[in-house]
Amino acid sequence: MTSRFFMSDSESESDSSEEEIVPEPPGISSSVFVFSEDEDETKRVVRSAKEKRYEELKNIIKNIKNYKKNRDMASLLSSFEDVCRAYSKALPVVQKEEGGRTPRFYIRCLAELDDFIQSVWEDKAGRKSMSKNNAKGLTTLRQKYRKYAKDYEADIAVFRENPDAPDSDAEVEHDEQEDDSDDDNIMDRGPAAFGKEVAPSKTTSKITKGSEDEDDDDDDSFDWGHDSEDESSSSDGDGGIDSLRKKFLKDKRERDEDDLKRRKKRGQREIKTKDEESDDDVGWERVKKGSSMPMEKPKMFGKDDEINVTSVHKKLNEIMAARGKKGTDRKEQIELLHELLNVARDNNLGPAIYVKIQFNIIMSVYDYNPSVSDPMKTEFWEKVLVKIDELLDMLIENPELTIGEQVTEETESLEKTPYLVRGCVLTIVDRMDEEFIKLLKACDAHSNEYIVSLRDEIRVCAIIDKLLKYKEEKGMPADICRVYLRKIEHLYYKYEPRAAKQAVGELPTTDDTTLAEMDRLCKYIYVRDNTDRLRTRAVLCHIYHMSLHDKWYEARDLMLMAHLQETIHHSDLPTQILYNRTMVQLGLCAFRHGNIKEAHNALLDIQSGGRAKELLAQGLLPQRQHERTTEQEKQEKQRQIPFHQHINLEMLECVYLVSAMLIEIPYMAAHEFDARRRMISKSFHHQLKNSERQSLVGPPESMREHVVAASKAMRNGNWKQCRNLLLNDKMNAKVWDLFHEADRVRKMLGGKIQEESLRTYLFTYSHVYDSISLVKLSDMFELPYSTVHAIISKMIINEEIMASLDEPTSCLVMHRTEPSSLQSLSLQLADKLYNLVENNERILDQKPFFTRGMQVLAVGTVTAGKRATGETVETAETKTSTAVVTEIKHQRFAVWPRKGAYHKQLMACLPLEPSSKGDWGPHIQQLATHPASYHLSMFLWYTRGSEGRELDVWAPPLQSWFLCNLQKTEAKNHLKCYYVSRL
Amino acid sequence: MSSGRGKREAENGRCNINVVQLEGLALMKIIKHCHEEGAGNTEVAQGVLLGLVVDERLEITNCFPFPRHADDVDEEDYQLEMMRHLRKVNVDHLSVGWYQSTQLGNFITTQLLESQFSYQTSIEESVVLIYDPIKTARGFLSIKAYRLTPEAINIVQERDYTPEALKKGRLGFETLFQEIRLVIKNSHLVNTLLTELYEFMPGSEGKQFLDLGTMSTLDRQLRCLMENVDDLSQEANKFNNFQRQNAKQLQDKHKFMQKRAAENAQRQARGEPPLPEEDINKQFKPIAPLPRLDAMITSGQIYNYCKQVSQFCSQSLGKLYVAKALQQEKK
């Protein structure tokens, strides 16, 4: 054990070479440099300005290379700054000598630096393990480089196209060193890095792949055969290199081979040590050892150290102190904790410390995945399950051990009973559950993978059950509530056939079903919970579960009692989603029970916007107006419900549309001529309109088409066709067979269709009947006589049809009082005219501005309007009964509210009783000369209906009066109408 | 007919047409065109009338239709071409107006007004013939000739449909169009033929006008009427709002004036020059008065509908009486 840590220390000199990003092994190439540098120094005495400047630059570049090898970021940064400065000094020379072209070696330096920075930056683990100084240097360097490199982007790009071409100057030593570094890089970096070198333009794609590559390296970091292959290929690839290079190639090869051997040996050693220390789990051994061990890494106990609870605890704290810090290698941390666990176990330090370490291991595993939205890896997941199980077992086995959040660091008691350990098992299990959901969401819902993942649910449930048992024994009510809710959330969406059997009576009521369990759990939460959220969720799950098991009345009552509708908008989104799911389930339950209206109301909100998918969190809808940001999309994805809890959307829509049809079609039939008919269901109307818009309506294919076709059949009272369109093989497969008691639902639906078709039929065709035999109706609709009787009675009571039942002949006698289409149109027109007159009179009221010309216009339109109403109503009334006339009369009076004064005058000149028969002369005289004779005629017309008696008495004198006014077409028409109505 | 190559009265500014004399041939061509084109769809059929002015009588002797979908053909070229061809065969080739089909008398529109205006300003004596194919199918030949009244011409020329202008121009919806008496005239030869044909006509033909099924027509007419009433109502509402705004502005203006007057009086007392009163117009920009053209046209249309409904009802009632008498006879 200790050796391992020592070993890793001894490795530190070369540990960088183990990492994929480290460019060159130190020592080798630098010696080459030193040599060549010396040569340079001695040879050149007189140098041109260009040479001088270039020399300077090259020196700094060499330094940079050295620092790169050493990964000394701070010095690298300062060198970089130097080189920038030096180059700016050299710029005039460059302008002169090279014609403004940036020298190639400089660009090469920049490009390499770029690669280096990028690779170091990408290696997150390596970055973490850097010293503070270095890390800071790296970030600054990266920023500075970016700023600086902008000016040379074009040049760098040109360079990258052909990186291996020789630099313009006598850059031999440069080149060699280049090759050196290249090949060494390849050695060290593995395929990913190699690819980067060969095709630098691909770097962007590499960045995304980087993490994968890293993982690969984790697994086969000792796969050397791989690298040597790369090496050879790389030397193949670097074909067109000048001869000078070849000279070096040979001894480089030798060097490389040496290197290889050395490494192999080291690798074996490492594997060996690993095997020695490996504990039960193989999955954990894949962790790469020795890589970027931080220098400040805590050491495990020395051989002579006394191992007791305190020291282990201290150690643990030390390890955990690194948690969450930037430079911490999470893998290694887990590793260390395992180590510690073994120590604790070997030394029998008591359950408390063991539990504590276990606990921390689990936490560290959770921490391993830095991104919240990604699921953890399967092997970690498996591990966590096992660990949590172990932890719970231990907790149950050691009743004297208390674990809880209320225990502070100070009050922890790890050595003696009663043990007190700080930590929260609940949180761990909660987190586990979340991870499980994430894991499920990460796989394709239709693949086998999903099913395999889903199998773990049993284990998850077992753990929750175990926790539940543990908490029930010794836990606070609040904690128990939380566990219960966990349990509930795994229960509520599952249908248990046993519960259905129990309801029928096939199973004894004493049997424990999920229903009973839900009841017990939820009731506990209702009583004990003091956070609203848990209770709300529990209620919703409870309702959901009951609806699922066809406990309609219980579910409905609970929903009504909970009063969630008012407050649900203030709760968090997952709860709102749960609410939506519950409402849908409740609606489906209502439908199965034949409560069509309730079903429609429950589903209306979900279905109305056409966003059911989104509201139930069963998938993302493309947004029309604006794109989501990736952040939003991530959030939405997180909210999604895992596939196995989905509610079938097509079934949902079908149930909704069928409910809407059963309500809307009779309503449409009843209010055909209504001006302001309200739509009950917009989406249903939308479907109807869609089908109307089609030029050719073929036989129905989809569920929607079936429903629309059925609606049309029902509109004509053709219930058989309607039923056949809804209940056929196609629809069975699509929708109805998805219900648990499909046959019962189908029977219910058939019955409903018959009843509503009967109603529709009566609404639509009652005006062609004087009377209908109920027996005949019951034959037509194949409904029992009593049902027909009940439906019709209900319609009569609700004043939906104006008719009465004639019991002896069992007939429905129509009163024929519904206005015909023309009459209702006239009524509508009267309404509109009333509005118009109102508007016009308002114009007239505003005298100060009003001009005479307008007055003429306005009055003109009013008279036009008047004519229209007067005359149309007459014709409409050629076929009316008294009831409608009275109604129209009311309308009429409403139209001319301001003519009240006239009416009074007119009433004054009309005798209430004829003084003696035939003595009408003076009155007629009076009437004929009256200036308002036109209005009078209208007035008489209105009053005619209700005061028929008087009219009869008045008939002869009126007739003669009308005859006096025959030149007025209006009067003539009134008279005609009068006679027609008397026919 | 062609003998009196009547002198046009265009010289004295306004030509006065009292009667339109329609040749049977032209009428038949109109009917044919409208029935062919207007059958089933809501599009209107249009064409050019050809003829002459004789004193105060406009004689229409021939016509030809506009091409239906004349996207590629230039309409003016087409017309000129047609007229040239007709001249070659020695037919009257002077354009004297145009005709248009209608449904249920919904012809009073802005387009009609505009087209008739352009006709009447370029060719003084132009008329528009409105032909109703549906009514004709029911047994009542319905063709009417209309012209814009001089008042209407004046107003349209100005393009000023403010209430003030309408008042000044004494234009109301009733005086927008004037209907001109229309006589159908056939040559003696044709008349002879007709009397001969009449002999051959089976007894059951030509009795459509006794059809009692009146509901659907009335229904449609009512619906159209309702639409127009709605429009008019809206117009009235708009006008109402405009009035209110205007009144408010007037009030504000008044207040401002008073204040300014008081201020000026004070200034005068102090011996300072009075503030100018011109800037009031800058402060209160007059609200653009509402054009009343739409309202007027809608009113005219409603008036037209009402006349039709009224006429239709009288006819229907008559028929009902006849039917009743027949019923009693049967008993």
Side-chain angles (χ1 to χ4, degrees), chain B residues 312-328:
Chain B
F312 185 79
C313 290
S314 316
Q315 283 171 358
S316 300
L317 281 171
K319 282 185 216 166
L320 283 174
Y321 277 119
V322 175
K324 184 191 160 197
L326 287 172
Q327 287 285 324
Q328 272 169 352

Side-chain angles (χ1 to χ4, degrees), chain A residues 81-138:
Chain A
E81 278 164 355
D82 284 344
V83 85
C84 293
R85 232 173 286 133
Y87 183 71
S88 64
K89 266 192 214 161
L91 210 57
V93 186
V94 173
Q95 292 285 358
K96 209 170 75 191
E97 298 284 333
E98 309 263 358
R101 244 184 68 238
T102 322
R104 194 169 164 81
F105 72 89
Y106 189 65
I107 294 299
R108 183 187 287 276
C109 168
L110 287 181
E112 277 168 33
L113 196 61
D114 183 19
D115 291 345
F116 175 71
I117 292 170
Q118 228 169 52
S119 58
V120 175
W121 188 257
E122 268 168 50
D123 175 33
K124 286 197 181 110
R127 227 165 77 208
K128 289 254 163 70
S129 62
M130 256 180 213
S131 76
K132 218 178 192 180
N133 210 5
N134 268 348
K136 206 176 144 202
L138 174 63

Side-chain angles (χ1 to χ4, degrees), chain B residues 19-24 57-58 180-185:
Chain B
V19 64
V20 173
Q21 181 184 306
L22 184 61
E23 191 77 9
R57 188 178 70 220
L58 177 70
I180 295 173
R181 200 158 62 87
L182 187 130
V183 234
I184 298 173
K185 197 199 166 214

Side-chain angles (χ1 to χ4, degrees), chain A residues 237-489:
Chain A
D238 298 347
I241 308 172
D242 53 341
S243 56
L244 267 165
R245 198 188 140 182
K246 277 179 190 151
K247 203 171 75 187
F248 285 87
L249 204 62
K250 200 185 149 202
D251 31 21
K252 194 184 63 157
R253 271 278 164 88
E254 278 162 19
R255 271 203 320 271
D256 286 349
E257 265 155 38
D258 278 356
D259 212 22
L260 204 73
K261 268 179 208 157
R262 217 174 63 223
R263 272 170 214 219
K264 256 186 193 158
K265 220 183 277 167
R266 200 193 296 148
Q268 275 161 3
R269 205 170 66 219
E270 257 174 295
I271 293 168
K272 216 159 50 186
T273 44
K274 206 192 276 176
D275 285 344
E276 275 163 20
E277 69 199 12
S278 69
D279 54 12
D280 45 1
D281 208 307
V282 187
W284 298 88
E285 284 321 309
R286 318 215 96 175
V287 176
K288 190 170 68 179
K289 292 238 176 77
S291 66
S292 65
M293 282 287 193
M295 294 308 287
E296 55 274 3
K297 186 194 69 178
K299 286 198 179 113
M300 222 33 118
F301 310 102
K303 272 238 158 80
D304 315 325
D305 284 357
E306 194 194 349
I307 298 176
N308 58 17
V309 173
T310 347
S311 60
V312 172
H313 188 208
K314 220 175 121 201
K315 195 87 230 161
L316 177 69
N317 282 346
E318 248 174 66
I319 297 170
M320 292 315 287
R323 182 185 168 198
K325 278 187 189 158
K326 251 191 174 173
T328 321
D329 183 344
R330 293 181 300 271
K331 250 183 244 171
E332 183 196 300
Q333 210 183 9
I334 297 167
E335 198 68 18
L336 288 175
L337 285 169
H338 265 270
E339 213 62 52
L340 205 58
L341 186 70
N342 288 344
V343 171
R345 195 177 49 198
D346 294 347
N347 292 295
N348 270 330
L349 291 179
I353 193 74
Y354 193 78
V355 165
K356 182 136 182 96
I357 297 170
Q358 277 280 36
F359 188 83
N360 279 316
I361 289 177
I362 295 167
M363 293 308 268
S364 310
V365 175
Y366 284 151
D367 280 350
Y368 180 72
N369 197 350
S371 123
V372 191
S373 50
D374 295 343
M376 56 204 306
K377 274 182 238 156
T378 332
E379 66 257 27
F380 283 122
W381 164 247
E382 292 283 335
K383 186 80 189 166
V384 162
L385 279 184
V386 172
K387 284 279 165 198
I388 293 177
D389 210 28
E390 275 174 22
L391 179 67
L392 282 171
D393 280 341
M394 277 184 66
L395 287 176
I396 291 168
E397 275 167 30
N398 299 292
E400 74 278 13
L401 194 148
T402 316
I403 188 164
E405 274 173 312
Q406 75 279 4
V407 182
T408 57
E409 299 273 354
E410 290 79 42
T411 55
E412 259 187 338
S413 152
L414 302 171
E415 287 176 70
K416 53 188 186 297
T417 51
Y419 297 115
L420 286 171
V421 178
R422 179 176 164 74
C424 183
V425 203
L426 268 174
T427 322
I428 287 183
V429 176
D430 279 356
R431 182 73 198 267
M432 173 198 72
D433 206 26
E434 278 163 31
E435 290 294 341
F436 176 57
I437 304 279
K438 265 194 257 171
L439 209 65
L440 283 176
K441 273 190 261 185
C443 17
D444 177 15
H446 302 282
S447 65
N448 207 32
E449 190 192 357
Y450 191 88
I451 299 168
V452 172
S453 304
L454 197 56
R455 278 190 198 134
D456 279 341
E457 215 216 345
I458 299 166
R459 291 168 71 188
V460 170
C461 286
I463 286 175
I464 292 173
D465 278 340
K466 212 175 259 181
L467 178 69
L468 196 137
K469 213 171 109 202
Y470 172 68
K471 280 288 172 188
E472 268 175 352
E473 276 165 19
K474 48 185 301 182
M476 315 285 288
D479 289 347
I480 299 179
C481 284
R482 270 175 71 186
V483 187
Y484 275 6
L485 190 69
R486 267 294 139 207
K487 170 107 179 134
I488 287 169
E489 288 189 351

